[in-house]
Amino acid sequence: MMSTASIITGIIILAVGTYAMRLSGILLNNKAAVSERVKGILSLSAIVILFSVAMTSTFFDGDQLADISKIMGVGVAGILTWQKKPFIMIVLSAAIVTAGLRGLINLWG
């Protein structure tokens, strides 16, 4: 278990690092040139990281596999996102599918 002091120290380190990165952007301004290829790679790497986190949280709940209703709800959200549907429709549809499947599973189980 982590102590309060170690948590506060971690928060302070993260805050200082965040502000140092922001300050370096202001100080460097346009002094460091980055090629379009590097910008593209950095953009894609951010997408890969976000996708990895989304997939991990979709298929795992702690150290166990997630239930099928959660996986199906995220699948519905993915399909609707791919079809460029409105955000509120995506969220509500995913929630309805997940809740509906959980309700059916509870009825049968």
Side-chain angles (χ1 to χ4, degrees):
M1 185 157 170
M2 297 182 74
S3 69
T4 304
S6 63
I7 292 172
I8 291 173
T9 303
I11 291 170
I12 291 170
I13 291 170
L14 287 171
V16 169
T18 300
Y19 286 111
M21 288 178 63
R22 289 179 179 229
L23 182 63
S24 68
I26 292 169
L27 294 176
L28 289 175
N29 203 2
N30 288 324
K31 295 177 184 172
V34 179
S35 70
E36 290 300 320
R37 183 171 185 243
V38 171
K39 287 181 184 178
I41 290 171
L42 290 174
S43 177
L44 288 176
S45 64
I47 293 169
V48 168
I49 290 170
L50 289 173
F51 183 76
S52 300
V53 169
M55 288 299 101
T56 302
S57 63
T58 296
F59 290 108
F60 294 99
D61 189 12
D63 58 350
Q64 299 179 0
L65 285 174
D67 59 339
I68 191 68
S69 56
K70 179 179 179 182
I71 295 170
M72 295 299 289
V74 172
V76 166
I79 290 169
L80 293 175
T81 301
W82 179 53
Q83 294 177 349
K84 298 181 180 173
K85 299 297 181 188
F87 182 72
I88 190 71
M89 180 181 175
I90 295 168
V91 172
L92 289 176
S93 298
I96 290 168
V97 167
T98 303
L101 287 174
R102 284 184 179 163
L104 287 174
I105 289 170
N106 285 338
L107 283 176
W108 289 336

